[in-house]
Amino acid sequence: MSNAHYSPQNILTARARLGEGPCWNPDEQRLYWVDIYNHRVHQFDPARGDRQFFDVGEVVGCLAPAGEHRLIMALRNQIAFLDTRDGAVTPIKTIDHPHPETRFNDGKCDAAGRFWFGSICKCESMAQLYHYDPDCTLSVMETGLTISNGLGWSPDNQTFYLTDSYRRTIYAYDFDLESGTLSDRRIFIDLTAETFEPDGLAVDQEGCLWSAMWNGWCIIRFDPEGKEMMRVPMPVQRPTCCTFGGADWDILYITTASIGLSQDEIQQSFYSGDVFSLQTDVTGLSTYSFKG
């Protein structure tokens, strides 16, 4: 697949500090995403151009649909529900991090309705991956991470993908959907030779991964074997995450960041922090909701 006809469009002037975690809600035909350090959950209707945000009062790493008018979120050290009618935050569970300089980061739900989310820690190898089940059980699924990031599943739900940005590596695991267990971790994509880091990702119906490259000015599509297929240039230095959405699941929505850029870098990357869309000729996997 050539990238010649792939042109990212700036659809929302957001100027976010750290835009992340885009999630398409098919029932509402709306895009949700977070601005982590501004403590905001954003809602955007691409068809009408309507937008609003909710201030959740603290760092918010990721979110997923959780029923009508409700999202589940991973905040700094807890998971909580957000009512999208009035912005009310209802805590679910507080989690003690193994290291104090830790917060929750990227996450999403699997096909069984579990909420998967990881952490990021300033101390190497102290971050973890969790899932929270609809039966209210919290499980630690992986340890020894530093920046737990982009995650997803293959179309047949037999493979789970997890990014550790610090190690510039995307791992693959065997996945059992019924039990929600992982096994046989292996390196799926090795980007240690690059100067940029893999961030959030999305998976399409062909089993290919689309990964946003922090400091890489691009989105890279990898085939089901982990081989690079295509680079889509971005007009910003720090694309952060992507998700498929739209009525036909063929639009890739991309969040970006402006945090940490120098004035010169911002001049070169003027639209940093905005939200982009990319019309593709493939179909993405649908969004799953928390079933609790």
Side-chain angles (χ1 to χ4, degrees):
M1 179 189 298
S2 168
N3 67 355
H5 63 294
Y6 276 26
S7 178
Q9 302 298 308
N10 188 325
I11 59 168
L12 183 59
T13 302
R15 298 299 193 267
R17 290 182 66 200
L18 185 50
E20 267 283 7
C23 177
W24 183 256
N25 187 317
D27 296 330
E28 301 177 4
Q29 290 293 292
R30 288 176 178 152
L31 181 74
Y32 287 89
W33 57 282
V34 303
D35 188 352
I36 292 178
Y37 291 121
N38 280 332
H39 306 169
R40 293 176 176 179
V41 169
H42 290 261
Q43 175 185 279
F44 179 57
D45 182 336
R48 300 178 57 171
D50 295 343
R51 58 190 288 187
Q52 66 173 314
F53 68 83
F54 306 96
D55 188 330
V56 298
E58 63 170 291
V59 165
V60 52
C62 62
L63 52 79
E68 189 175 8
H69 305 302
R70 192 175 72 164
L71 303 172
I72 188 169
M73 309 177 292
L75 303 176
R76 182 184 298 277
N77 67 339
Q78 66 177 334
I79 46 178
F81 289 126
L82 174 68
D83 189 315
T84 58
R85 293 167 297 185
D86 58 13
V89 175
T90 304
I92 302 171
K93 190 177 186 65
T94 298
I95 300 161
D96 293 327
H97 291 301
H99 188 277
E101 293 189 89
T102 305
R103 65 165 174 83
F104 287 128
N105 198 40
D106 202 5
K108 61 188 64 168
C109 289
D110 68 18
R114 306 178 190 92
F115 182 45
W116 292 71
F117 55 100
S119 59
I120 175 173
C121 184
K122 292 185 178 180
C123 185
E124 185 177 346
S125 302
M126 293 295 289
Q128 301 187 142
L129 175 73
Y130 305 77
H131 71 54
Y132 182 68
D133 283 78
D135 67 2
C136 302
T137 302
L138 179 73
S139 303
V140 177
M141 304 307 299
E142 183 64 286
T143 60
L145 305 169
T146 300
I147 303 178
S148 179
N149 224 324
L151 69 162
W153 292 265
S154 60
D156 62 8
N157 284 308
Q158 294 186 12
T159 305
F160 173 76
Y161 303 105
L162 176 67
T163 303
D164 191 331
S165 298
Y166 176 79
R167 294 187 172 89
R168 296 190 173 96
T169 299
I170 301 176
Y171 298 103
Y173 300 75
D174 291 341
F175 179 66
D176 185 281
L177 178 61
E178 183 176 355
S179 63
T181 54
L182 306 176
S183 59
D184 188 26
R185 186 176 92 168
R186 61 265 186 196
I187 294 175
F188 180 64
I189 298 168
D190 184 346
L191 294 170
T192 53
E194 301 285 359
T195 58
F196 49 76
E197 301 174 358
D199 202 324
L201 64 80
V203 183
D204 65 34
Q205 290 282 4
E206 297 178 2
C208 299
L209 272 65
W210 299 69
S211 178
M213 297 298 161
W214 177 272
N215 283 332
W217 298 85
C218 67
I219 304 290
I220 300 182
R221 187 184 190 222
F222 299 92
D223 71 15
E225 303 302 317
K227 180 181 178 182
E228 181 175 330
M229 300 176 66
M230 175 181 66
R231 294 194 184 196
V232 179
M234 292 287 297
V236 293
Q237 182 174 334
R238 292 179 170 172
T240 56
C241 195
C242 52
T243 192
F244 281 96
D248 299 318
W249 296 100
D250 60 351
I251 300 173
L252 192 71
Y253 291 101
I254 305 160
T255 51
T256 69
S258 60
I259 192 170
L261 295 177
S262 68
Q263 192 59 44
D264 286 344
E265 288 173 325
I266 289 175
Q267 289 301 315
Q268 296 174 45
S269 184
F270 183 75
Y271 300 105
S272 293
D274 289 356
V275 178
F276 295 79
S277 69
L278 184 69
Q279 178 66 56
T280 73
D281 51 11
V282 296
T283 302
L285 299 183
S286 59
T287 301
Y288 295 114
S289 299
F290 180 67
K291 295 182 179 178

